[in-house]
Amino acid sequence: MIKIAPSILSADFSRLGEEIKNIEQGGADYIHFDVMDGLFVPNISIGIPVLESVRKITQLELDVHLMIERPVRYLEAFSKAGADIINIHIEADSEDETLRALSIIRKLGKRPAITLKPGTPAVDAEPYIRLVDLVLVMTVEPGFGGQSFMPDMLPKIREMRKLIDSKNPGCELQVDGGINPETAPLCIEAGANVLVAGSDIFKSEDRKKRIALLRGIN
Ligand code: DX5
Ligand code: ZN
């Protein structure tokens, strides 16, 4: 079954509680929570206090995408604030520190995950792939919602699917950026099983229908 993870970056923050209830009732699987530090990406978004508030109002798994430099510094804080999946970029620190971060996430009882920017080849995930529960292949440059899907990421999704199947078959393969009813089937066909969608879901009137449509159910 394909999982849908609405990115609340595109939600109306003045009514965040209602927005979350709405996607929960719409059948979302995870809540995708984008954290940006203004250094790793040229934008600043939401962080620990907002995550704490979201944790209080939903039982859904919180999928925290850390677009921050040296994420190892903040793992405990995000864990305490209620993250379930803690996802770090492999470009955000050295290989040793990334490995250390993944083992800390596991010890904290959370699900470790890694993300690759569009310019990072699939093979760069190899040192980490057996240690993670989810790999995210970015389908836009991280930093902003509402960008267009990069079709040249499809071969990389396919390559990552092969890598996962041979080295860690239980691992999930997520895509993030520009996902809509046109691009979702392409990613699913290439091997993704978790789709992040921000603007497409939050701009639509009927989120339940939209989530079903993205999942491939008409
Ligand atoms: C981008 C974020 C995404 C973003 C996706 O840096 O990681 O999660 O919210 O937004 P859409 O679905 O609008 O491309
Ligand atoms: Zn994201």
Side-chain angles (χ1 to χ4, degrees):
M1 178 74 156
I2 301 301
K3 293 182 183 174
I4 305 296
S7 161
I8 58 168
L9 193 60
S10 294
D12 176 352
F13 285 116
S14 69
R15 312 170 26 250
L16 188 55
E18 285 167 54
E19 294 275 71
I20 285 173
K21 284 290 156 211
N22 190 241
I23 52 161
E24 203 175 296
Q25 284 156 8
D29 297 282
Y30 299 152
I31 291 176
H32 187 80
F33 191 98
D34 287 301
V35 180
M36 305 178 186
D37 65 354
L39 288 169
F40 184 73
V41 289
N43 197 8
I44 295 177
S45 60
I46 45 177
I48 293 154
V50 179
L51 187 63
E52 281 169 351
S53 300
V54 171
R55 178 73 292 165
K56 287 183 195 145
I57 59 154
T58 184
Q59 299 298 313
L60 280 183
E61 268 192 79
L62 300 179
D63 165 31
V64 177
H65 178 194
L66 295 179
M67 287 163 273
I68 67 175
E69 292 283 355
R70 300 192 49 235
V72 73
R73 298 171 296 156
Y74 289 102
L75 302 174
E76 224 179 292
F78 280 102
S79 167
K80 270 204 187 120
D84 295 298
I85 298 169
I86 302 184
N87 194 336
I88 59 175
H89 269 263
I90 64 172
E91 307 88 357
D93 211 331
S94 66
E95 183 173 327
D96 280 356
E97 285 298 281
T98 302
L99 289 167
R100 188 162 80 90
L102 294 174
S103 110
I104 292 172
I105 297 168
R106 190 69 80 190
K107 282 195 196 112
L108 289 166
K110 307 298 179 177
R111 299 175 67 199
I114 51 166
T115 305
L116 282 75
K117 283 183 172 185
T120 305
V123 66
D124 286 18
E126 281 225 41
Y128 317 107
I129 209 142
R130 288 191 180 81
L131 309 169
V132 295
D133 288 1
L134 179 148
V135 175
L136 165 54
V137 173
M138 287 303 299
T139 43
V140 298
E141 279 303 335
F144 300 90
Q147 304 180 75
S148 297
F149 180 79
M150 298 167 71
D152 48 333
M153 291 300 108
L154 289 167
K156 181 164 144 188
I157 300 167
R158 270 190 204 103
E159 209 182 319
M160 194 63 81
R161 169 48 65 198
K162 276 193 197 140
L163 213 58
I164 286 175
D165 285 349
S166 71
K167 297 192 190 292
N168 184 4
C171 180
E172 303 202 274
L173 176 50
Q174 186 178 56
V175 287
D176 180 8
I179 302 301
N180 59 39
E182 285 73 51
T183 58
L186 306 176
C187 295
I188 295 168
E189 191 274 325
N193 77 299
V194 187
L195 313 180
V196 175
S199 48
D200 189 74
I201 290 175
F202 285 100
K203 272 188 194 154
S204 82
E205 286 294 315
D206 187 339
R207 276 84 183 263
K208 191 173 186 167
K209 248 193 195 156
R210 204 68 178 181
I211 288 171
L213 187 61
L214 290 172
R215 230 195 277 279
I217 304 166
N218 283 305

